[in-house]
């Protein structure tokens, strides 16, 4: 710090440059609020939100720039902010107990880190996250490419669901019932986009839109389709695909995952245009595009790919650290015994402790990491989902690629959605030093055993 300040010709004279600069950080306050979530006619719902809304304050920063925010905790519980998908400094990763202490009610913490990769990211509480994210503590972080693609509109669509008591429209309790912990997680009964029941965008035929989809739900998997819109997927989990991929079938997003689409409005004025989600027995509008008029006579041509982010190349055929990673447990699962807090326990005793899942026979966090890597080493994880449920496995601090047949590589990602019974391999270069979580992003699962960590020296 002193070196940087001196190089800039700034006298630091005993005061750390950073502490002084922090006074100018914008505040990001987590607070209680009451907002209209349910349709008109229903009462408001008590939430916790960054800036008093859910989704919270939208943050935009230029690629290579710094994210600098003073987190102020005005909640009745300790909290911390995790910057999901950011290859940030470990000390800024926001995981209480691993990278920082939880910020007490009334306290604050200064987050300050570089955003090396352009794309669509998000931030959320990582303390008691099943409850705190369910109460609304999440927001979107956009890291802008230096040259933004040629579109008429850039729209963020945050997909979320809330489990509310239908009478009071307050959060249904218990927040984290044993049934949702051992089954598919806390699934809501009110599905929203950008915190509203009937998200509508006014558009014109042949307009080109960039849609940034973020799945901020605790556990819901969204399966999305387009009506009256046609286009391409440009990025997944913020990371650009090598080439835009025409959208043919459903766009599936597990909790924590994102997709950047470029779509053209092909519907004529007055004709239906929707983003829809699949539901049992049909599909429901997730966002409505009200088409009025025509922006131009014809659609534009194919979009260019987004420029790649500056990550190390993954080479799964090189000398890799190969690890097996078996997920077990849950309802209808095969978990009979596992180690929990250093003790071998039978399933019924684990269930007593509200723990239902294990990785390689171990339930939840341990004092020593699941794996340790030398910096720069390539790691390959062969992940077996030996359970009856899908899981969304999220790695902090680094991005990975799926290893496909013949060592072909899938797109860069930070969260891998796996079906029950599947085996999938991922590989990444362990190039970011620190302690990084690897957990299921179905937050009730993470709280019931599906959470471990790795260390990069
Ligand atoms: Cu989006 Cu460990 O989290
Ligand atoms: Cu899970």
């Amino acid at each position: 710090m002193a070196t940087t300040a001196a190089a800039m010709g700034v006298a630091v004279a005993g005061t750390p440059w950073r502490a002084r600069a922090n006074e100018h950080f914008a505040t990001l306050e987590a607070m209680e609020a009451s907002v209209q979530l349910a349709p008109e006619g229903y009462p408001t719902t008590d939430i916790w939100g960054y800036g008093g809304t859910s989704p919270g304050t939208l943050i935009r920063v230029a690629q290579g720039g710094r994210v600098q925010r003073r987190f102020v905790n005005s909640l009745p519980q300790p909290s911390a902010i995790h910057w999901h998908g950011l290859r940030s400094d470990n000390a800024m990763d926001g995981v209480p107990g691993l990278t920082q202490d939880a910020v007490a009610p009334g306290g604050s913490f200064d987050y300050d880190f570089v955003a090396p990769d352009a794309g669509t990211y998000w931030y959320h509480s990582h303390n008691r996250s099943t409850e705190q994210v369910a109460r609304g503590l999440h927001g979107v972080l956009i890291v802008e490419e230096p040259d933004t693609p040629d579109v008429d509109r850039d729209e963020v669509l945050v997909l979320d669901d809330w489990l509310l008591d239908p009478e009071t429209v307050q959060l249904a309790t218990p927040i984290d019932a044993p049934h949702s912990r051992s089954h598919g997680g806390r699934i809501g009964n009110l599905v929203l986009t950008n915190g509203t029941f009937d998200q509508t965008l006014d558009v014109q035929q042949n307009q080109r839109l960039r849609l940034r989809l973020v799945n901020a739900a605790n556990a819901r998997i969204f399966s999305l389709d387009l009506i009256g819109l046609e286009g391409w997927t440009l990025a997944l989990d913020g990371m650009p695909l090598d080439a835009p991929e025409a959208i043919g079938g459903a766009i599936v997003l597990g909790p924590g995952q994102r997709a950047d689409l470029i779509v053209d409005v092909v519907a004529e004025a007055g004709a239906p245009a929707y983003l829809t989600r699949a539901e049992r027995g049909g599909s429901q509008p997730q966002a409505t595009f009200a088409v009025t008029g025509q922006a131009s006579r014809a659609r534009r041509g194919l979009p260019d790919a987004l420029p790649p982010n500056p990550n190390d190349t993954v080479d799964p055929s090189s000398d890799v650290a190969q690890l097996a990673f078996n997920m077990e447990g849950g309802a209808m699962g095969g978990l009979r015994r596992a180690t929990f807090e250093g003790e071998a326990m039978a399933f019924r005793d684990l269930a007593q402790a509200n723990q239902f899942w294990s990785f390689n026979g171990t339930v939840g966090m341990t004092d020593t990491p699941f794996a340790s890597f030398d910096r720069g080493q390539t790691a390959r994880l062969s992940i077996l989902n030996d359970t009856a449920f899908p899981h969304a496995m999220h790695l902090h601090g680094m991005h990975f690629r799926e290893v496909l047949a013949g060592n072909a590589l899938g797109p860069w990602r930070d969260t891998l959605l796996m079906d029950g019974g599947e085996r999938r391999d991922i590989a990444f270069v362990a190039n970011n030093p620190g302690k990084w979580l690897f957990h299921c992003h179905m937050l009730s699962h993470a709280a019931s055993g599906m959470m471990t960590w790795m260390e990069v020296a």
Side-chain angles (χ1 to χ4, degrees):
M1 280 302 137
T3 321
T4 317
M8 293 168 71
V10 177
V12 283
T15 313
W17 169 253
R18 189 158 149 177
R20 193 186 290 180
N22 287 357
E23 297 307 319
H24 304 294
F25 282 13
T27 292
L28 189 57
E29 184 181 2
M31 58 176 108
E32 297 173 288
S34 188
V35 300
Q36 189 73 43
L37 294 181
E40 201 114 350
Y42 284 89
T44 56
T45 302
D46 296 335
I47 68 153
W48 293 357
Y50 297 109
T53 60
S54 182
T57 314
L58 175 67
I59 301 176
R60 283 182 186 265
V61 61
Q63 182 175 14
R66 299 192 86 88
V67 177
Q68 299 180 314
R69 285 293 182 283
R70 167 159 292 183
F71 167 53
V72 174
N73 183 7
S74 301
L75 301 171
Q77 274 180 15
S79 195
I81 302 180
H82 169 56
W83 309 89
H84 181 122
L86 270 287
R87 297 191 294 131
S88 66
D89 300 346
N90 192 240
M92 297 290 136
D93 200 43
V95 180
L98 193 68
T99 68
Q100 69 168 94
D101 292 330
V103 180
S108 71
F109 186 92
D110 291 330
Y111 289 99
D112 180 6
F113 56 91
V114 170
D117 303 309
T120 303
Y121 301 93
W122 66 302
Y123 63 94
H124 60 80
S125 161
H126 221 298
N127 198 44
R128 301 175 61 133
S129 15
T130 319
E131 172 178 356
Q132 295 197 359
V133 175
R135 287 189 186 277
L137 286 172
H138 57 77
V140 171
L141 169 60
I142 292 177
V143 184
E144 305 269 15
E145 299 90 15
D147 298 307
T148 51
D150 175 32
V151 295
D152 298 308
R153 304 262 294 271
D154 185 329
E155 299 288 345
V156 178
L157 297 175
V158 179
L159 319 178
D160 193 9
D161 66 349
W162 294 71
L163 185 59
L164 302 181
D165 177 322
E167 297 290 316
T168 63
V169 301
Q170 301 307 312
L171 260 78
T173 51
I175 298 270
D176 207 7
H179 184 274
S180 54
R181 295 170 76 113
S182 58
H183 290 69
R186 184 181 170 94
I187 304 285
N189 51 7
L190 179 65
V191 186
L192 305 181
T193 299
N194 296 339
T196 174
F197 183 65
D198 52 2
Q199 175 70 36
T200 304
L201 287 93
D202 292 316
V203 296
Q204 294 184 308
Q205 190 185 16
N206 294 332
Q207 263 188 341
R208 176 160 281 186
L209 321 172
R210 179 181 190 164
L211 301 180
R212 301 173 183 266
L213 310 180
V214 179
N215 182 353
N218 272 44
R220 179 180 293 260
I221 299 166
F222 284 87
S223 177
L224 304 157
D225 272 300
L226 301 173
I227 295 176
L229 307 167
E230 278 177 28
W232 302 263
T233 304
L234 271 83
L236 292 169
D237 296 351
M239 276 73 80
L241 305 183
D242 295 338
E245 223 167 77
I247 298 167
I251 304 151
V252 178
L253 292 181
Q257 292 187 317
R258 288 91 63 213
D260 281 55
L261 315 179
I262 283 189
V263 301
D264 295 336
V265 179
V266 295
E268 290 172 15
Y274 295 103
L275 176 71
T276 62
R277 71 169 180 281
E279 287 273 355
R280 226 167 290 173
S283 69
Q284 292 288 331
Q286 185 70 35
T288 302
F289 297 81
V291 190
T292 56
Q294 199 178 52
S296 61
R297 300 261 295 280
R299 289 177 63 180
R300 290 173 167 80
L302 289 178
D304 292 332
L306 295 168
N309 282 324
N311 210 338
D312 289 332
T313 311
V314 172
D315 179 4
S317 64
S318 69
D319 177 26
V320 297
Q322 183 105 27
L323 298 159
F325 193 89
N326 292 350
M327 308 153 81
E328 289 182 329
M332 301 162 278
L335 185 63
R336 290 291 156 258
R337 269 190 106 63
T339 303
F340 177 48
E341 293 180 340
E343 224 186 297
M345 281 168 81
F347 181 69
R348 60 166 192 285
D349 300 319
L350 287 166
Q352 282 292 329
N354 239 332
Q355 299 297 310
F356 298 98
W357 311 90
S358 70
F359 294 147
N360 285 359
T362 297
V363 174
M365 294 293 277
T366 46
D367 293 340
T368 52
F370 163 76
S372 298
F373 305 107
D374 295 332
R375 197 178 320 174
Q377 205 176 2
T378 299
R380 178 170 176 163
L381 258 60
S382 185
I383 309 174
L384 173 65
N385 179 359
D386 198 6
T387 82
F389 292 86
H391 300 287
M393 291 303 299
H394 171 49
L395 176 64
H396 285 214
M398 288 163 291
H399 300 155
F400 57 78
R401 301 185 78 162
E402 184 167 358
V403 185
L404 306 164
N407 276 351
L409 294 171
W412 289 100
R413 299 219 71 142
D414 60 45
T415 305
L416 180 75
L417 180 62
M418 293 183 70
D419 268 333
E422 267 187 341
R423 180 189 290 282
R424 314 252 298 265
D425 281 27
I426 62 168
F428 61 95
V429 183
N431 54 9
N432 199 0
K435 299 174 174 180
W436 303 109
L437 285 185
F438 186 50
H439 66 89
C440 180
H441 222 287
M442 280 129 180
L443 301 173
S444 313
H445 293 174
S448 328
M450 301 196 107
M451 169 113 76
T452 190
W453 63 288
M454 308 190 210
E455 186 156 33
V456 180

